[in-house]
């Protein structure tokens, strides 16, 4: 099967693979306005930090393309309003805010640098900028794949958590990109995918894309990772990121921190792969990264239907955790690999 397309711009609308249905059904949905893009991001039809950024950039265009309210000034106010709306869809992945800030600044700059610009031209340029973000995202994945491959080429068995593959970005992914690059070069990897409770991105999505690509993948429950590491099979761990603070502390899917602690205990290198748009240099440490809290039903209902927690018990469902920088062997970015000390080295590269 050809690689699944996460997101595309076709026939004047965004086509998204509905990731809530995977792996049972591969269904593409048309997103035609900002409201349906907001919903798609919030319920994880589109997910993964870079893909959310691309989706939001297109969402802004969809949100403003029918604007019919007169002067450029009121159009710019409307752009700001749609940016704020889309930015409230999810709180942790900085790529969402990065993409929307870039779109907003671009639109204002275009309006300022060309005083007789019409709203029609501005709308067209907003779409062009969203397409540029989409294309840059594909190139970013390739570059991370190349840099990451150099780090893991002799480590034939890799553990990953959640999904930071093609389905979390516009093309190859971040954490999985080095594995795809290896495959192109005839280097064989096998992968252990943590299932990633509660929404099972590892089991449903990582295992789907790797197995469809012909890369051997074994799904384990999250609580099996430490014992698989102890068995000596895992030679490296690679995960993605939703936000990286200036000191290298990294927010990623809940459970990443536990995997990093286990890897440190077993002396297995733990790598983070993420684009420069995932760094938040305004935030000094992971303590300041906002962590999304999600609903009870994700934990308390198996598969969204079968009760697995009694009604009187409470549920705690943070969607992300923060892995301290000291547990991370290196951060693989499209600009190169960053090693500790991160506070010094991140600013040099990003
Ligand atoms: O809640 P999700 O599925 O959007 O969480 C995704 C992750 O945590 C990924 O590891 C991260 O966004 C990096 S994707 C390249």
């Amino acid at each position: 099967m050809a690689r699944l397309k996460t997101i595309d711009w076709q026939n004047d609308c965004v086509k998204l693979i509905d990731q809530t249905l995977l792996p049972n059904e591969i269904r593409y949905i048309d997103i035609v306005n900002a409201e349906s893009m907001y919903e798609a991001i919030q319920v994880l039809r589109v997910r993964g930090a870079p893909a959310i950024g691309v989706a939001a950039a297109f969402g802004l265009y969809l949100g403003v393309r029918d604007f019919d309210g007169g002067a450029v000034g009121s159009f710019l106010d409307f752009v700001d309003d749609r940016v704020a709306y889309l930015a409230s869809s999810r709180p942790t992945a900085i790529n969402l805010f990065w993409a929307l800030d870039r779109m907003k600044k671009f639109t204002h700059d275009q309006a300022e640098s060309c005083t007789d610009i019409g709203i029609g031209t501005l709308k067209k340029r907003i779409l062009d900028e969203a397409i540029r973000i989409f294309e840059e995202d594909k190139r970013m994945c390739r570059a991370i794949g190349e840099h990451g491959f150099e780090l893991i080429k002799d480590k034939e068995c890799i553990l990953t958590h959640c999904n930071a593959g093609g389905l979390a970005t516009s093309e190859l992914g971040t954490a999985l990109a080095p594995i795809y690059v290896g495959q192109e070069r005839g280097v064989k990897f096998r992968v252990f995918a943590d299932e990633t409770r509660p929404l099972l991105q590892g089991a449903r999505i990582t295992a789907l894309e790797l197995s469809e690509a012909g890369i051997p993948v074994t799904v384990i429950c999250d609580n099996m990772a430490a014992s698989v590491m102890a068995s000596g099979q895992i030679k490296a761990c690679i995960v993605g990121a939703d936000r990286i603070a200036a000191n290298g502390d990294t927010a990623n899917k809940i459970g990443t921190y536990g995997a990093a602690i286990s890897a440190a205990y077993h002396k297995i290198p733990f790598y983070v792969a993420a684009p420069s748009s995932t760094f938040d240099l305004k935030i000094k440490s992971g303590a300041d990264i906002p962590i999304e809290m999600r609903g009870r039903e994700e934990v308390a209902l198996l598969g969204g239907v079968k009760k697995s927690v009694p009604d009187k018990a409470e549920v705690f469902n943070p969607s992300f955790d923060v892995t301290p920088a000291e547990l991370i062997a290196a951060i693989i970015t499209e600009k190169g690999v960053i090693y500790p000390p991160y506070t010094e080295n991140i600013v040099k590269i990003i």
Side-chain angles (χ1 to χ4, degrees):
M1 189 165 85
R3 190 164 282 138
L4 297 166
K5 247 186 193 306
T6 310
I7 185 166
D8 207 359
W9 176 253
Q10 274 176 23
N11 305 327
D12 255 7
C13 72
V14 176
K15 290 237 180 289
L16 288 182
I17 189 165
D18 183 346
Q19 300 197 29
T20 61
L21 304 175
L22 298 175
N24 293 297
E25 192 185 335
I26 293 177
R27 187 196 298 169
Y28 283 87
I29 51 172
D30 290 347
I31 304 288
V32 295
N33 55 39
E35 288 71 24
S36 45
M37 186 61 89
Y38 180 100
E39 190 268 354
I41 294 172
Q42 194 169 55
V43 307
L44 278 57
R45 295 187 205 289
V46 59
R47 43 139 308 275
I52 294 173
V54 173
F58 280 122
L60 178 67
Y61 171 69
L62 296 175
V64 302
R65 70 171 163 188
D66 294 330
F67 176 87
D68 186 14
V72 167
S74 41
F75 178 70
L76 292 177
D77 290 344
F78 189 60
V79 166
D80 295 355
D81 174 79
R82 298 288 77 189
V83 163
Y85 167 66
L86 286 161
S88 64
S89 54
R90 289 190 79 185
T92 303
I94 183 85
N95 307 62
L96 173 72
F97 312 104
W98 171 86
L100 288 168
D101 284 349
R102 172 167 157 177
M103 296 296 290
K104 176 172 163 174
K105 184 171 182 314
F106 171 82
T107 311
H108 282 259
D109 287 351
Q110 292 293 308
E112 266 163 38
S113 64
C114 186
T115 43
D116 56 354
I117 199 165
I119 290 173
T121 309
L122 273 177
K123 288 180 184 172
K124 159 98 184 47
R125 291 192 187 168
I126 288 174
L127 174 60
D128 291 344
E129 183 69 357
I131 292 173
R132 262 193 295 278
I133 290 178
F134 178 43
E135 295 301 329
E136 284 172 19
D137 195 63
K138 295 180 190 172
R139 291 196 289 276
M140 166 285 282
C141 293
R142 166 65 52 185
I144 287 181
E146 300 284 345
H147 293 304
F149 174 66
E150 289 305 316
L151 278 184
I152 62 155
K153 59 186 172 195
D154 59 341
K155 304 196 173 0
E156 53 86 38
C157 187
I158 306 282
L159 180 131
T160 190
H161 188 78
C162 193
N163 172 260
L167 286 162
T169 63
S170 307
E171 217 163 66
L172 288 184
T174 57
L176 301 189
I179 294 165
Y180 290 127
V181 167
Q183 187 188 39
E184 286 170 11
R185 306 210 171 135
V187 176
K188 288 192 172 39
F189 291 108
R190 64 197 175 95
V191 177
F192 277 88
D194 285 349
E195 69 172 351
T196 317
R197 278 276 288 153
L199 294 183
L200 308 184
Q201 289 92 331
R204 296 188 302 108
I205 305 174
T206 295
L208 175 71
E209 64 166 271
L210 288 175
S211 56
E212 290 299 332
I215 294 168
V217 54
T218 305
V219 174
I220 53 173
C221 300
D222 301 332
N223 51 9
M224 298 170 187
S227 101
V228 175
M229 289 185 200
S231 74
Q233 296 179 75
I234 309 291
K235 304 297 178 216
C237 302
I238 313 185
V239 299
D242 286 81
R243 199 185 288 227
I244 302 174
N247 69 346
D249 289 353
T250 294
N252 190 49
K253 179 56 55 195
I254 190 77
T256 304
Y257 177 32
I261 291 172
S262 298
Y265 182 79
H266 294 100
K267 304 199 171 26
I268 298 168
F270 192 89
Y271 299 119
V272 169
S276 45
S277 52
T278 301
F279 287 76
D280 185 353
L281 300 186
K282 291 201 279 314
I283 280 185
K284 278 203 193 119
S285 81
D288 296 325
I289 299 178
I291 299 295
E292 177 179 17
M293 299 304 294
R294 292 187 65 89
R296 167 188 178 92
E297 65 295 345
E298 291 181 354
V299 174
L301 290 180
L302 287 181
V305 283
K306 194 167 175 223
K307 197 188 283 184
S308 59
V309 177
D311 291 337
K312 287 186 184 154
E314 285 181 14
V315 157
F316 176 56
N317 185 16
S319 194
F320 300 94
D321 58 25
V322 175
T323 299
E326 67 198 82
L327 297 179
I328 300 170
I331 305 176
I332 308 158
T333 77
E334 79 281 21
K335 299 183 176 189
V337 178
I338 309 177
Y339 293 97
Y342 291 118
T343 305
E344 265 169 69
N345 292 340
I346 285 174
V347 281
K348 280 188 201 150
I349 294 197
I350 300 300

